[in-house]
Amino acid sequence: MSSLSIQIPGLNLRNPVMPASGCFGFGKEFSQLYDLSLLGAIMVKATTPEPRFGNPTPRVAETPGGMLNAIGLQNPGLEKVFIEELPWLEQFDVPIIANIAGSTEDDYVAVAEQLSQAPNVKALELNISCPNVKTGGIAFGTDPDLAKALTKKVKNVSEVPVYVKLSPNVSDIVKIARAVEEGGADGLTMINTLLGMRIDLTTGQPILANKTGGLSGPSIKPVAIRMIYEVSQQVSIPIIGMGGIQSAEDVVEFFLAGASAAAVGTQNFIDPFVCPKIIEELPEILQRLGADHISELTGRSWKKNERLAYHRP
Amino acid sequence: MSSLSIQIPGLNLRNPVMPASGCFGFGKEFSQLYDLSLLGAIMVKATTPEPRFGNPTPRVAETPGGMLNAIGLQNPGLEKVFIEELPWLEQFDVPIIANIAGSTEDDYVAVAEQLSQAPNVKALELNISCPNVKTGGIAFGTDPDLAKALTKKVKNVSEVPVYVKLSPNVSDIVKIARAVEEGGADGLTMINTLLGMRIDLTTGQPILANKTGGLSGPSIKPVAIRMIYEVSQQVSIPIIGMGGIQSAEDVVEFFLAGASAAAVGTQNFIDPFVCPKIIEELPEILQRLGADHISELTGRSWKKNERLAYHRP
Amino acid sequence: MIKQENCRVVSNTQIGDNIFELVLSGELTANMSEPGQFVHVKVSNGFDPLLRRPISIAAIEKENSTFTIIYRRQGRGTALLAEKSAGEEVDILGPLGNGFPVMEAAQGQTAILIGGGVGVPPMYELAKQLAQNGVSVISVIGFQTESAVFYEKELARFGEVYVATVDGSYGRKGFVTDILAGFDFQADIVFACGPTPMLRAIDTGNFAPKTYLSLEERMGCGIGACFACVCHTKEDPHGYTYKKVCSDGPVFKAGEVVI
Amino acid sequence: MIKQENCRVVSNTQIGDNIFELVLSGELTANMSEPGQFVHVKVSNGFDPLLRRPISIAAIEKENSTFTIIYRRQGRGTALLAEKSAGEEVDILGPLGNGFPVMEAAQGQTAILIGGGVGVPPMYELAKQLAQNGVSVISVIGFQTESAVFYEKELARFGEVYVATVDGSYGRKGFVTDILAGFDFQADIVFACGPTPMLRAIDTGNFAPKTYLSLEERMGCGIGACFACVCHTKEDPHGYTYKKVCSDGPVFKAGEVVI
Ligand SMILES: Cc1cc2nc3c(=O)[nH]c(=O)nc-3n(C[C@H](O)[C@H](O)[C@H](O)COP(=O)(O)OP(=O)(O)OC[C@H]3O[C@@H](n4cnc5c(N)ncnc54)[C@H](O)[C@@H]3O)c2cc1C
Ligand SMILES: Cc1cc2nc3c(=O)[nH]c(=O)nc-3n(C[C@H](O)[C@H](O)[C@H](O)COP(=O)(O)OP(=O)(O)OC[C@H]3O[C@@H](n4cnc5c(N)ncnc54)[C@H](O)[C@@H]3O)c2cc1C
Ligand SMILES: Cc1cc2nc3c(=O)[nH]c(=O)nc-3n(C[C@H](O)[C@H](O)[C@H](O)COP(=O)(O)O)c2cc1C
Ligand SMILES: Cc1cc2nc3c(=O)[nH]c(=O)nc-3n(C[C@H](O)[C@H](O)[C@H](O)COP(=O)(O)O)c2cc1C
Ligand code: FES
Ligand code: FES
């Protein structure tokens, strides 16, 4: 057994590193750069029932140590994803996590029902945290009751385990996490982007056409680590961590906080080879930290006894 | 009239730039570097009824584009602040904004009542957003009803206008802002720090002794801008903006978002002369932007008509 | 093939007011073909700034594995780029996108190359390749003011060059379109790169039977994966069909996309 | 007087495994007096990394307005510092804090200077000043391993030097305290700077009637305003009296604060 393989609901992964949804399209572009079968999994772009164009441009703006995006869930729609994008990905030996989105509960249910039937889709990622659409998205992610109810509905129709993607734009992330766990979620993915804005001095107007956007990149890493640290101690389902990961060291920090796998978003834009690089570098870091297997690291920052055991070998 | 002077409740300021609470102590250290009378105002360190030592060290950790702190409201206590620190500051011709904190409503009331009587204290800053103390602090800042009730109580005893400092760690910042406005707040200051964490790979433990800390610095600027943009359109009291300000350009961005004055926190640590530098640079930027007075910029990003008027002079 | 490579700085020369010409050496030069393609430049090792900067390829020298980019020092990214000196390395991702279809201009035909400001650089490699193919090249380039003018001489190697400046301090006063309006002949093909208002004027197709435009948009990935840079197609201006400036473009046929 | 100044790099030399000696030239040298003071170094122009780094002043040369700092390349900040070359500028805030009270050692007395790892640098200036005052200086310095040893020769200019390495690859195997334990005389005064466990051992006051220790703590401002670097006083170990390492220290009398 490799020191990197992990098992979490629905996902039997050769390694815990995967591109985050929306930062990798449906894999086509990156497949020209490296063999996608190297990846632990792929979180594909959010899919809604109908095709969406998304928001007007500019859709991205740079911030100190981060970026804002307001893509607005542009995607080719359920049908095309199901009959074109997902089958195309079957040529690679890599499990797909399908990110599902919508404006209404019915939207989510429709997408979940169909996508969970795709042979290479091994898990769903319920995106109740997109800050860049007017209806749905984050509305579900900030209200525990709505989040729980939606999780239940999606669980009812899904053929595969359901991970719920949490928004960091909440007063009490643990409350939402517990609610979706009660709703039957098999796992959590966190965090989605923080809501932010930049204003252009010359025009006096927000840089993004959508005005606000989602903040991602290294600047949000401390928020992600804190939330995963808090939530992982309060739920018993696994967490796929994300938010500012740039290196194998960052992946380890997410594990120590409580994550069981890790996703890389923004950094794919800066270094498109980042995922295979991290996968290559992880074993050496594990060795340095005296861990035989990466899963030993999950939650080590709060699992006091295990840590002590490690420090007194 | 200078292009920088501003009037907001209780505060008749020669310029809108002031150090943020907790990043300037009670001014002594910086008074050795420059004349404090250059400043628009000074937001002094949080004061609690009794002296506090605060949290164990390490109390700070660096993050990408930001820093975490968990000072834990260390301060010499109400009495010493009232009879030593504030009188010492009277030698400077600069209004003081006293940051008040506590564990209970009574704590806040006691501090507010006394500090508002100091001759140089022209406004109070109600700190209901400190993430680094176990009781009080942020608890008041995430619950609209508690926030409103506390604001009322403090207003009742205060001799000077009361600004409430909002926490960004909430699902709906507008709701809290409206609540404290209803509670009688004369103004808002925002944002306090985002809750974050960093874990040391070698020890496997959080770097901060307090584990979590407040994230400040440039990395949080987009969140601050977004929140001020949202809140300033929904309340009619002025906002003193802060969060990641490093330059005069940043101050302008806060004004465009909706702020009426600006505070500089973390950057004082990196460049202790940043406040006077910004004050010096502002007039030129105003000229470049075609503004006769800085207050014209407040909310220009959403005050559509004013902006158009400006673009077609 | 898109490659990522730390390319070595051969030279980094100021050639105009805040305009720099950076010659880089790297193996990925071998993959460059069409003028109008661009590279995605990481100007620092850390996260300040975080994102790459898209810059057009201005000249390709396969023989010595070097290529040239020309950029305006504008914000933090290009300011840092301007500080690089010979021998240092710059992290380059490229070549990216689809450039100008050189083959659309046949031997003996006339091509007008229109460049505005930092839209001029890709015109150099384009002019070179067109001239090699026996196409008559006329360059029409526009700038803000005299001190911002660059590459007039370089373009003159391949044909006539007309210069406009907005303030009239050099060449003709006004815009490139003022020069074009004065031409008493029709070219067979027009290629353009520059500010959006300029492109909109040329997008009308008024200046030649065939027109190609290079667009700009704020980018994330630069390789087609993030959907930051999409534009609507003219056929379906309010629908959900789209083109990505980074990977479908940046060069489009006039009338293809909504500018 | 604390000043902020862009100091020019005179030299930046590797003098040991990941150990660099950086000589800077700047007017603020004039304000430096006590050995054991430190400077707060901004290693980049932007926010990567954001905070300044505290580094002890190792040598002061007022005649030519230069001073020396010695640092271990450790994280991102010191790695960037190691890349600076002669002629470049480094943003320095300083001098900061209170150093070793040189005057506490009278002419003819014996002082033991104890340095562990990157606690060695301030001992150089201290040794120099003590020697100037006619104090006999004995330096005891400890390192991880042979390749990490530095400044043995430099300190030898002012008196005897004893070296310990943890792995025994150079000098005596073990810690500086092992060397101290072997001394058959008592010094009049001890000055120490190094890792906390070492300081704790010396804080006992066992090695001399007078003992001064230089502490380390994670810092924000470095000037006493942010309360990042406080420690309890021994008199009131659980109360709210405190000392700030940056502005009350970094040098404290043994027994003054809780280490
Ligand atoms: C396909 C393409 C080719 C280009 N070719 C050239 C060229 O050959 N020479 C040249 O000088 N410039 C060119 N540009 C514009 C160049 O990308 C911007 O000037 C540059 O990114 C500004 O970076 P900065 O850090 O200096 O500015 P900042 O304002 O600090 O940049 C902040 C962010 O905004 C983005 N941004 C700012 N202006 C633009 C812009 N005009 N287009 C796209 N993104 C922008 C930056 O990439 C960055 O993400 C091209 C742009 C595109 C899309
Ligand atoms: C008063 C004082 C004097 C010092 N003198 C020297 C010296 O002469 N030579 C030398 O090599 N080192 C010295 N240090 C330690 C030095 O400050 C750190 O090694 C350095 O800050 C590490 O920065 P980095 O970017 O390489 O590491 P990183 O780990 O990337 O730093 C991250 C953050 O942690 C802080 N940090 C990390 N280690 C330390 C530490 N040991 N002490 C305080 N803050 C730390 C950094 O300042 C920064 O804010 C001194 C520290 C203090 C407090
Ligand atoms: C351009 C862009 C598009 C994104 N689109 C989606 C999306 O469609 N669905 C989703 O759940 N998250 C989306 N995200 C959020 C990321 O998956 C991730 O949660 C977030 O960016 C934090 O990780 P990072 O800092 O590594 O980028 C998007 C992020 C970016 C930057
Ligand atoms: C070290 C430190 C201590 C702080 N202490 C206080 C405090 O006592 N009271 C308070 O209201 N805010 C406190 N803050 C928050 C700042 O006043 C400010 O709201 C926040 O840091 C965002 O601004 P900045 O990014 O410019 O630092 C503190 C911040 C820092 C970094
Ligand atoms: S920039 Fe990412 S799709 Fe074009
Ligand atoms: S570092 Fe700020 S008080 Fe010492």
Side-chain angles (χ1 to χ4, degrees):
Chain A
M1 193 189 65
S2 136
S3 66
L4 297 184
S5 65
I6 62 152
Q7 286 79 39
I8 50 177
L11 301 165
N12 222 313
L13 311 183
R14 67 173 66 80
N15 68 65
V17 180
M18 61 194 84
S21 178
C23 302
F24 209 75
F26 289 92
K28 283 221 178 70
E29 296 75 18
F30 285 88
S31 75
Q32 292 161 31
L33 303 181
Y34 60 83
D35 178 4
L36 301 188
S37 305
L38 291 169
L39 297 168
I42 298 175
M43 296 169 136
V44 293
K45 177 94 194 125
T47 302
T48 53
E50 303 300 324
R52 288 203 191 187
F53 181 80
N55 292 320
T57 58
R59 292 178 170 187
V60 294
E62 201 177 38
T63 69
M67 66 174 278
L68 294 168
N69 89 77
I71 308 294
L73 295 185
Q74 176 159 24
N75 79 92
L78 176 56
E79 189 181 331
K80 187 145 176 247
V81 170
F82 191 74
I83 65 176
E84 280 183 27
E85 305 291 358
L86 292 173
W88 181 86
L89 278 163
E90 282 181 37
Q91 65 187 290
F92 303 102
D93 175 24
V94 61
I96 306 300
I97 301 174
N99 188 278
I100 68 174
S103 308
T104 62
E105 284 196 344
D106 290 348
D107 284 355
Y108 281 95
V109 167
V111 180
E113 184 159 20
Q114 184 158 8
L115 289 192
S116 68
Q117 290 169 28
N120 52 348
V121 168
K122 305 297 182 196
L124 299 183
E125 184 181 33
L126 196 57
N127 181 359
I128 55 167
S129 45
C130 180
N132 299 321
V133 288
K134 293 224 164 43
T135 51
I138 205 168
F140 291 107
T142 50
D143 180 327
D145 297 331
L146 286 181
K148 182 173 162 181
L150 182 63
T151 306
K152 257 192 195 149
K153 289 221 166 123
V154 168
K155 270 297 288 180
N156 277 342
V157 299
S158 176
E159 308 273 327
V160 296
V162 174
Y163 290 70
V164 180
K165 185 157 186 177
L166 303 188
S167 167
N169 302 290
V170 295
S171 312
D172 188 348
I173 187 85
V174 170
K175 208 183 262 176
I176 304 275
R178 281 210 185 114
V180 303
E181 184 180 33
E182 282 167 21
D186 300 284
L188 302 171
T189 69
M190 55 193 288
I191 60 173
N192 209 322
T193 52
L194 279 162
L195 207 47
M197 177 185 267
R198 269 202 58 195
I199 299 177
D200 183 305
L201 257 51
T202 327
T203 64
Q205 295 298 299
I207 292 182
L208 298 177
N210 187 52
K211 295 188 174 123
T212 60
L215 183 62
S216 64
S219 56
I220 69 167
K221 199 183 70 168
V223 176
I225 294 287
R226 185 265 297 180
M227 290 189 161
I228 291 169
Y229 177 86
E230 287 177 354
V231 169
S232 61
Q233 297 180 61
Q234 303 290 335
V235 299
S236 51
I237 49 180
I239 297 172
I240 304 178
M242 66 195 77
I245 293 180
Q246 296 196 296
S247 66
E249 278 82 3
D250 289 339
V251 168
V252 169
E253 191 175 349
F254 275 78
F255 269 76
L256 295 170
S260 298
V264 182
T266 304
Q267 187 64 14
N268 288 294
F269 307 159
I270 294 144
D271 177 1
F273 299 92
V274 60
C275 287
K277 272 185 203 161
I278 289 178
I279 293 164
E280 204 182 308
E281 288 169 12
L282 273 175
E284 199 211 296
I285 301 186
L286 293 191
Q287 218 178 329
R288 218 165 68 207
L289 298 181
D292 292 329
H293 194 280
I294 191 156
S295 57
E296 293 169 31
L297 300 181
T298 298
R300 192 182 264 185
S301 65
W302 47 265
K303 287 182 190 162
K304 292 280 160 4
N305 298 334
E306 283 193 30
R307 181 183 71 89
L308 290 178
Y310 158 64
H311 272 276
R312 311 199 203 107
Chain B
M1 190 191 66
S2 136
S3 65
L4 296 184
S5 65
I6 63 154
Q7 286 78 39
I8 51 179
L11 300 165
N12 222 313
L13 310 184
R14 68 173 66 80
N15 67 64
V17 180
M18 60 194 84
S21 177
C23 303
F24 208 76
F26 289 91
K28 282 220 179 70
E29 295 77 17
F30 285 88
S31 75
Q32 292 162 29
L33 304 182
Y34 60 84
D35 178 5
L36 302 188
S37 305
L38 292 169
L39 297 168
I42 297 175
M43 295 168 138
V44 293
K45 177 95 195 123
T47 302
T48 54
E50 304 300 324
R52 288 203 191 188
F53 181 81
N55 293 318
T57 58
R59 292 178 171 189
V60 293
E62 199 177 41
T63 70
M67 66 175 278
L68 295 168
N69 89 77
I71 308 296
L73 297 183
Q74 176 159 24
N75 79 92
L78 177 55
E79 189 181 331
K80 185 146 179 246
V81 169
F82 191 74
I83 65 176
E84 282 184 27
E85 305 291 358
L86 290 173
W88 180 87
L89 277 163
E90 281 180 38
Q91 66 187 292
F92 304 101
D93 174 24
V94 61
I96 306 300
I97 301 175
N99 187 279
I100 67 175
S103 309
T104 62
E105 283 195 346
D106 289 347
D107 283 355
Y108 281 95
V109 167
V111 180
E113 185 158 19
Q114 185 157 7
L115 289 192
S116 68
Q117 289 169 29
N120 52 349
V121 168
K122 304 298 180 196
L124 299 183
E125 184 181 33
L126 196 55
N127 181 0
I128 54 166
S129 44
C130 179
N132 298 323
V133 288
K134 291 223 165 44
T135 51
I138 205 169
F140 291 106
T142 51
D143 181 326
D145 296 332
L146 286 181
K148 182 174 163 180
L150 181 64
T151 306
K152 256 191 194 148
K153 290 219 164 125
V154 168
K155 269 298 287 181
N156 277 343
V157 300
S158 176
E159 307 274 327
V160 295
V162 174
Y163 289 70
V164 180
K165 184 156 184 179
L166 302 188
S167 166
N169 303 290
V170 296
S171 312
D172 188 348
I173 187 84
V174 171
K175 207 183 263 177
I176 304 274
R178 282 212 184 113
V180 302
E181 185 180 32
E182 282 167 23
D186 300 283
L188 302 171
T189 68
M190 53 191 289
I191 59 174
N192 209 321
T193 52
L194 279 162
L195 206 48
M197 177 186 269
R198 266 201 61 195
I199 299 177
D200 183 306
L201 257 50
T202 326
T203 65
Q205 294 299 299
I207 292 181
L208 298 177
N210 187 50
K211 296 188 175 122
T212 61
L215 182 63
S216 64
S219 57
I220 71 167
K221 200 183 71 170
V223 176
I225 294 287
R226 186 264 297 180
M227 289 188 161
I228 292 169
Y229 177 87
E230 287 176 354
V231 168
S232 62
Q233 297 179 61
Q234 302 291 335
V235 299
S236 51
I237 49 181
I239 297 172
I240 305 178
M242 65 196 75
I245 293 179
Q246 297 196 295
S247 65
E249 279 83 4
D250 289 340
V251 168
V252 169
E253 192 175 348
F254 275 78
F255 270 76
L256 294 170
S260 297
V264 182
T266 305
Q267 187 64 14
N268 287 295
F269 307 158
I270 296 145
D271 177 1
F273 300 92
V274 59
C275 287
K277 271 185 205 164
I278 288 178
I279 293 163
E280 204 183 308
E281 288 170 12
L282 272 175
E284 198 211 295
I285 301 188
L286 292 189
Q287 217 177 331
R288 218 166 68 206
L289 297 181
D292 292 330
H293 194 280
I294 192 156
S295 58
E296 292 169 31
L297 299 181
T298 298
R300 192 181 263 185
S301 65
W302 48 264
K303 286 182 189 160
K304 293 281 160 6
N305 298 335
E306 283 192 30
R307 180 181 71 90
L308 289 178
Y310 157 65
H311 274 275
R312 312 198 202 106
Chain C
M1 255 302 283
I2 300 170
K3 279 189 69 170
Q4 181 186 5
E5 188 179 347
N6 290 325
C7 295
R8 195 160 291 278
V9 175
V10 175
S11 63
N12 193 10
T13 323
Q14 183 154 7
I15 59 169
D17 235 19
N18 281 314
I19 303 287
F20 292 77
E21 180 196 61
L22 173 61
V23 181
L24 292 164
S25 127
E27 291 176 19
L28 50 68
T29 313
N31 301 338
M32 296 179 176
S33 50
E34 294 172 352
Q37 288 186 296
F38 66 100
V39 289
H40 222 18
V41 185
K42 180 94 179 83
V43 297
S44 82
N45 285 325
F47 46 77
D48 177 21
L50 183 68
L51 298 177
R52 289 177 179 270
R53 271 44 182 169
I55 310 277
S56 304
I57 299 166
I60 310 169
E61 302 258 11
K62 298 221 181 200
E63 317 82 70
N64 38 28
S65 293
T66 64
F67 65 97
T68 303
I69 60 178
I70 296 168
Y71 58 94
R72 182 190 291 133
R73 182 169 53 197
Q74 186 165 310
R76 175 142 181 86
T78 47
L80 286 174
L81 201 55
E83 286 175 13
K84 303 274 176 194
S85 44
E88 286 188 66
E89 290 189 336
V90 182
D91 176 352
I92 300 287
L93 182 72
L96 302 178
N98 297 302
F100 291 104
V102 180
M103 287 326 206
E104 289 288 326
Q107 192 173 358
Q109 289 192 325
T110 302
I112 300 183
L113 277 53
I114 308 171
V118 286
V120 171
M123 295 304 154
Y124 176 79
E125 179 65 27
L126 178 60
K128 191 173 82 180
Q129 293 196 16
L130 288 170
Q132 270 164 5
N133 293 352
V135 176
S136 302
V137 172
I138 297 168
S139 299
V140 181
I141 56 181
F143 303 91
Q144 239 11 71
T145 184
E146 177 171 18
S147 60
V149 176
F150 64 90
Y151 263 47
E152 181 187 8
K153 264 211 309 262
E154 285 77 357
L155 285 167
R157 283 185 215 145
F158 310 113
E160 283 174 80
V161 182
Y162 298 83
V163 183
T165 54
V166 176
D167 65 1
S169 53
Y170 189 82
R172 182 183 167 128
K173 183 174 159 78
F175 301 103
V176 289
T177 41
D178 297 322
I179 294 179
L180 293 172
F183 284 170
D184 55 2
F185 61 88
Q186 246 229 340
D188 298 294
I189 188 163
V190 158
F191 300 101
C193 182
T196 306
M198 178 192 116
L199 295 182
R200 285 214 183 99
I202 297 163
D203 188 41
T204 54
N206 286 346
F207 300 105
K210 291 184 188 176
T211 303
Y212 290 89
L213 310 169
S214 181
L215 265 56
E216 259 190 26
E217 190 49 80
R218 300 232 169 195
M219 292 185 177
C221 65
I223 62 170
C226 76
F227 291 83
C229 66
V230 297
C231 49
H232 283 283
T233 60
K234 276 253 173 78
E235 279 178 2
D236 179 24
H238 304 293
Y240 50 80
T241 48
Y242 62 89
K243 294 285 175 182
K244 296 175 197 158
V245 171
C246 69
S247 54
D248 297 321
V251 174
F252 295 96
K253 212 173 154 62
E256 193 177 354
V257 297
V258 179
I259 301 181
Chain D
M1 254 303 280
I2 298 170
K3 279 190 68 171
Q4 182 186 5
E5 187 179 349
N6 290 325
C7 295
R8 196 160 291 278
V9 175
V10 176
S11 64
N12 193 10
T13 322
Q14 183 154 7
I15 60 168
D17 234 18
N18 281 314
I19 303 287
F20 293 77
E21 179 196 62
L22 173 60
V23 182
L24 292 163
S25 128
E27 291 175 19
L28 49 68
T29 312
N31 301 339
M32 295 179 178
S33 49
E34 294 171 353
Q37 287 187 297
F38 65 100
V39 290
H40 221 17
V41 185
K42 178 96 178 83
V43 297
S44 83
N45 285 324
F47 46 78
D48 176 21
L50 183 69
L51 297 176
R52 289 177 180 270
R53 269 45 182 169
I55 310 276
S56 305
I57 299 166
I60 309 170
E61 301 259 11
K62 299 222 182 200
E63 318 81 71
N64 39 26
S65 292
T66 63
F67 65 98
T68 303
I69 59 177
I70 296 169
Y71 57 94
R72 181 191 290 134
R73 182 168 53 197
Q74 186 164 310
R76 174 144 182 85
T78 47
L80 286 173
L81 201 56
E83 286 174 14
K84 303 275 177 194
S85 43
E88 287 187 65
E89 290 188 336
V90 181
D91 176 352
I92 300 287
L93 182 73
L96 302 179
N98 297 303
F100 292 104
V102 179
M103 288 324 204
E104 289 290 325
Q107 193 173 357
Q109 289 192 323
T110 302
I112 300 184
L113 278 53
I114 308 171
V118 287
V120 171
M123 295 304 153
Y124 177 79
E125 179 66 27
L126 178 59
K128 191 173 82 181
Q129 295 196 15
L130 288 170
Q132 270 164 6
N133 293 354
V135 176
S136 301
V137 172
I138 298 171
S139 299
V140 182
I141 56 181
F143 303 92
Q144 242 7 73
T145 184
E146 176 170 18
S147 60
V149 176
F150 65 91
Y151 262 47
E152 181 187 8
K153 265 210 309 262
E154 285 78 357
L155 286 167
R157 282 184 216 146
F158 310 112
E160 281 174 83
V161 181
Y162 298 83
V163 183
T165 55
V166 176
D167 66 0
S169 54
Y170 189 83
R172 181 183 169 127
K173 182 174 160 75
F175 300 104
V176 290
T177 41
D178 297 322
I179 294 180
L180 294 172
F183 284 170
D184 55 1
F185 61 89
Q186 247 230 342
D188 298 293
I189 188 163
V190 158
F191 300 102
C193 182
T196 307
M198 178 192 115
L199 296 182
R200 286 215 183 99
I202 298 163
D203 189 40
T204 54
N206 287 346
F207 301 104
K210 291 185 188 175
T211 303
Y212 290 89
L213 309 168
S214 180
L215 266 56
E216 260 190 26
E217 191 49 80
R218 300 231 168 196
M219 292 185 176
C221 65
I223 63 172
C226 76
F227 291 83
C229 65
V230 297
C231 48
H232 283 283
T233 59
K234 276 253 175 77
E235 279 178 2
D236 179 22
H238 305 291
Y240 50 80
T241 48
Y242 62 89
K243 294 285 176 183
K244 295 175 198 157
V245 171
C246 69
S247 55
D248 296 320
V251 174
F252 295 97
K253 212 172 153 64
E256 191 177 354
V257 297
V258 179
I259 301 181

